[in-house]
Amino acid sequence: MQIFYWPYSLQFKHPFAISSVTRTDTKVVYIEIKENEISGYGEAALPPYLKETQESVINFFKKININDLKNSDGLQAKINYIDILEGGNYAAKAALEMALHDLYGKQLNKPLHKLWNLSKRKLPPALFTIGITNNNKELEEKLETSKDFEILKLKVGNTSPLEQIKKLRKLTGKKICLDVNQGWYDKNLALEWIKAMADEGVIFVEQPFSKENLSEMAWLSEKSPLPVVADESFQNVEDLNKIKNCCKGINVKLMKCGGLDKARLIIEKAKQKNLMVVMGCMSESSCGVAAAAQLTPLVDYADLDGPLLINNDPFQGVVYEMGKILLPFNPGTGAKKIYKQNN
Ligand code: MG
């Protein structure tokens, strides 16, 4: 068994603006775990608001003792070995766990969703993200890219989103979900805006207030005519109990929770609590998104358009068709490395 890893920078097609920041790239680290000429790949995507960096991910990877990993018997034992190496490091662990699952699926020559008995017939609608923009040409370009999608995910700032929604309404009648990325401060105004947009084909509102502000999110969720979904306020399975009465749904991401197994456990528990589940991603390439897509038969919405927003994806394997993400049919996660990188 051998391990290789390398940093990379994903370049956005358009500068990507959310309520707090605009940026042109996202740093990632890829990992390859190779055994008997078969390679499994994983990705740690590191937007600047996460604590992890390329340096911290690489430092975590350096802690792996290849013999200990190799001698851990079976996939589960290998994942456990990674889990107990050190606390935190969720994106680094997600990358490693993804690579191990990919390797395991390739060794058995089966895609992960098949190994997990998930039905291809239950695919949820996929969302297409539109970052904050005042540039009409850019907006039209984005709508053209999104033509196969039925639902748009509109990023909004900290002022009234109504004008932005009205502008979009002139161009398209598609359903919209709103991602506020913690941008709103005033709960009364938030409720007023949501009431005004409920008739505009908006289907849910994600992370209206700062991530610590659960009491205001609970207040809004109770009064809002639209479901309120927690993203930044929700990281991993331990957060479920504290969040379950503050929102109607959660956005699950591999980079937040530490990998596919943990995401599956979260989805199962969230469904028991009647929470709506969105399977999301950071700005990730097809490597991470192909892995996350394997879980989409279990969720209500697939928020996995990362590969469509970048122009230097070093992997392929994610196919968007008729408003859905098709499950990759290649073995493992289904992601294929197409870019040669010096390891
Ligand atoms: Mg979000």
Side-chain angles (χ1 to χ4, degrees):
M1 184 177 266
Q2 292 168 289
I3 292 186
F4 310 99
Y5 39 81
W6 60 99
Y8 191 77
S9 175
L10 300 172
Q11 305 294 324
F12 284 113
K13 286 179 188 165
H14 301 282
F16 188 66
I18 61 172
S19 63
S20 54
V21 68
T22 301
R23 60 183 210 276
T24 55
D25 71 345
T26 301
K27 306 286 184 226
V28 299
V29 181
Y30 291 110
I31 186 160
E32 175 182 356
I33 304 180
K34 193 170 180 183
E35 193 174 51
N36 301 327
E37 295 308 307
I38 300 179
S39 288
Y41 294 96
E43 174 175 15
L46 308 156
Y49 47 84
L50 291 187
K51 285 197 189 112
E52 293 175 76
T53 59
Q54 285 177 319
E55 197 186 0
S56 75
V57 169
I58 288 171
N59 283 338
F60 184 79
F61 291 166
K62 283 182 180 159
K63 293 194 171 79
I64 300 163
N65 179 316
I66 193 77
N67 284 324
D68 288 348
L69 182 66
K70 193 176 148 193
N71 294 332
S72 303
D73 197 14
L75 176 65
Q76 204 51 58
K78 286 181 169 54
I79 293 171
N80 290 346
Y81 166 75
I82 290 160
D83 261 347
I84 56 172
L85 268 180
E86 196 178 279
N89 294 287
Y90 294 103
K93 286 177 181 171
L96 267 162
E97 197 244 26
M98 193 186 293
L100 286 170
H101 272 290
D102 189 33
L103 178 64
Y104 179 72
K106 283 172 174 163
Q107 285 168 340
L108 297 176
N109 201 24
K110 287 207 165 123
L112 298 180
H113 63 90
K114 276 229 165 110
L115 291 173
W116 298 334
N117 282 323
L118 302 180
S119 167
K120 278 187 168 188
R121 277 169 295 167
K122 288 190 186 155
L123 294 181
L127 314 179
F128 183 86
T129 306
I130 297 193
I132 298 170
T133 178
N134 287 319
N135 181 331
N136 285 346
K137 192 169 165 277
E138 187 185 319
L139 186 61
E140 279 168 30
E141 260 175 58
K142 284 179 179 172
L143 286 175
E144 177 58 27
T145 315
S146 74
K147 64 179 186 304
D148 286 339
F149 290 74
E150 291 160 27
I151 308 175
L152 303 175
K153 187 178 207 191
L154 185 64
K155 300 278 187 182
V156 296
N158 52 16
T159 52
S160 170
L162 297 171
E163 210 170 299
Q164 228 175 314
I165 292 169
K166 286 207 170 102
K167 194 159 130 191
L168 202 57
R169 273 289 158 260
K170 283 186 192 146
L171 301 166
T172 172
K174 288 182 184 183
K175 289 179 198 160
I176 298 170
C177 43
L178 227 57
D179 193 356
V180 189
N181 290 107
Q182 317 182 64
W184 294 348
Y185 300 98
D186 183 324
K187 64 180 182 184
N188 292 302
L189 264 181
L191 182 61
E192 206 177 286
W193 293 337
I194 292 178
K195 282 182 174 168
M197 69 179 84
D199 296 329
E200 297 276 357
V202 179
I203 53 173
F204 68 77
V205 176
E206 189 169 294
Q207 197 64 43
F209 308 123
S210 75
K211 62 182 179 184
E212 297 83 15
N213 200 347
L214 295 184
S215 59
E216 305 230 320
M217 184 156 74
W219 179 92
L220 186 67
S221 180
E222 201 193 305
K223 294 183 169 49
S224 167
L226 298 174
V228 173
V229 170
D231 183 0
E232 287 87 339
S233 293
F234 176 79
Q235 294 286 310
N236 50 45
V237 72
E238 290 88 41
D239 296 334
L240 265 179
N241 273 337
K242 74 168 191 213
I243 205 91
K244 68 176 194 283
N245 297 323
C246 306
C247 60
K248 297 288 189 300
I250 52 169
N251 192 321
V252 181
K253 294 176 182 167
L254 301 180
M255 298 303 133
K256 292 195 294 187
C257 73
L260 290 158
D261 284 356
K262 294 185 183 64
R264 271 176 79 193
L265 180 69
I266 290 168
I267 295 166
E268 192 184 307
K269 286 185 182 285
K271 288 286 160 191
Q272 286 164 5
K273 296 177 197 307
N274 285 324
L275 288 169
M276 188 174 98
V277 180
V278 181
M279 187 77 219
C281 64
M282 303 298 176
S283 33
E284 279 163 51
S285 72
S286 295
C287 181
V289 166
Q294 302 283 339
L295 291 172
T296 52
L298 297 171
V299 304
D300 300 286
Y301 296 100
D303 183 15
L304 294 172
D305 62 349
L308 294 175
L309 310 181
I310 54 173
N311 62 18
N312 61 341
D313 192 338
F315 285 80
Q316 64 181 27
V318 182
V319 179
Y320 304 87
E321 205 175 283
M322 311 277 285
K324 313 245 168 174
I325 297 182
L326 304 186
L327 289 183
F329 54 82
N330 290 329
T333 63
K336 213 172 143 195
K337 187 168 162 241
I338 53 169
Y339 180 73
K340 274 226 168 304
Q341 184 82 20
N342 296 328
N343 291 329

